[in-house]
């Protein structure tokens, strides 16, 4: 066996391992998200199984609407396609993700530590909120952020 074939085989094996790990990770988070959306009475809990759309369910658990999700994500997607502006969309996307995860933790009665853990260990904390039978509070959004959502007509 020559060197190129050996390297090619190793790349295929590594890609297969990454694919299997990604599938297991996706299923792990989708199961918890589905269970939480069912338990909190969200509409269309089945959407928790659809990649990319399941983030809308995370927005719902954070107390935000589907319309807010699609406007924010579409805007970030369009920004990421514009040359020299795309570098701005990545930090904004990270900030939106951190905000949504913080809101999910807060809506399940989480204190500061649970909010930090939700940001760092998202899928594991979804399981914690589901299996820990934490009650979904759906706290109100800060008035300044709510007024911005109202001004943009995202409700």
């Amino acid at each position: 066996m020559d060197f190129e074939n050996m390297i090619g085989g190793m790349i295929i094996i590594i890609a297969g391992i990454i694919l299997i790990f990604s599938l297991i990770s996706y299923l792990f988070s989708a199961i918890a998200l589905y269970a939480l959306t069912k338990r909190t009475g969200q509409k269309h809990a089945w959407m928790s199984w659809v990649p990319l759309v399941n983030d809308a369910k995370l927005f719902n658990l954070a107390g935000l609407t589907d319309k807010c999700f699609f406007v924010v994500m579409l805007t970030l997607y369009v920004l990421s396609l514009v040359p020299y502006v795309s570098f701005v969309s990545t930090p904004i996307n990270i900030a939106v993700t951190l905000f949504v995860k913080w809101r999910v933790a807060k809506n399940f009665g989480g204190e500061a530590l649970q909010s930090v853990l939700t940001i760092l260990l998202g899928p594991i904390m979804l399981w914690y909120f589901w299996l820990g039978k934490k009650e979904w509070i759906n706290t109100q959004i800060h008035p300044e952020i709510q007024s911005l959502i109202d001004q943009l007509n995202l409700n």
Side-chain angles (χ1 to χ4, degrees), residues 63-121:
L64 302 168
T65 63
D66 289 335
K67 185 177 181 181
C68 179
F69 166 76
F70 287 111
V71 168
V72 167
M73 292 317 234
L74 184 65
T75 303
L76 289 174
Y77 177 72
V78 169
L79 280 177
S80 71
L81 296 176
V82 177
Y84 303 110
V85 178
S86 62
F87 71 92
V88 174
S89 68
T90 300
I92 295 172
N93 196 0
I94 291 170
V96 167
T97 302
L98 293 177
F99 173 74
V100 167
K101 288 184 176 185
W102 170 74
R103 290 283 306 157
V104 169
K106 189 170 181 170
N107 283 346
F108 280 98
E111 299 298 326
L113 177 62
Q114 286 179 336
S115 297
V116 170
L117 289 175
T118 302
I119 289 169
L120 297 176
L121 307 169

Side-chain angles (χ1 to χ4, degrees), residues 7-131:
I7 295 295
M10 289 175 58
I11 289 173
I12 290 173
I13 290 171
I14 291 171
I17 291 170
I18 290 172
L19 182 67
I20 290 170
F21 179 75
S22 298
L23 183 62
I24 290 170
S25 175
Y26 167 74
L27 288 174
F28 184 76
S29 61
I31 289 169
L33 187 58
Y34 176 77
L36 279 175
T37 54
K38 278 292 249 198
R39 196 181 73 173
T40 57
Q42 301 287 327
K43 294 180 182 177
H44 311 299
W46 60 268
M47 288 173 55
S48 300
W49 293 100
V50 180
L52 300 178
V53 179
N54 61 3
D55 288 340
K57 293 289 117 190
L58 206 56
F59 263 61
N60 293 153
L61 289 175
L64 302 168
T65 63
D66 289 335
K67 185 177 181 181
C68 179
F69 166 76
F70 287 111
V71 168
V72 167
M73 292 317 234
L74 184 65
T75 303
L76 289 174
Y77 177 72
V78 169
L79 280 177
S80 71
L81 296 176
V82 177
Y84 303 110
V85 178
S86 62
F87 71 92
V88 174
S89 68
T90 300
I92 295 172
N93 196 0
I94 291 170
V96 167
T97 302
L98 293 177
F99 173 74
V100 167
K101 288 184 176 185
W102 170 74
R103 290 283 306 157
V104 169
K106 189 170 181 170
N107 283 346
F108 280 98
E111 299 298 326
L113 177 62
Q114 286 179 336
S115 297
V116 170
L117 289 175
T118 302
I119 289 169
L120 297 176
L121 307 169
I124 295 170
M125 291 305 288
L126 290 177
W127 278 79
Y128 171 76
F129 294 137
W130 172 40
L131 297 176

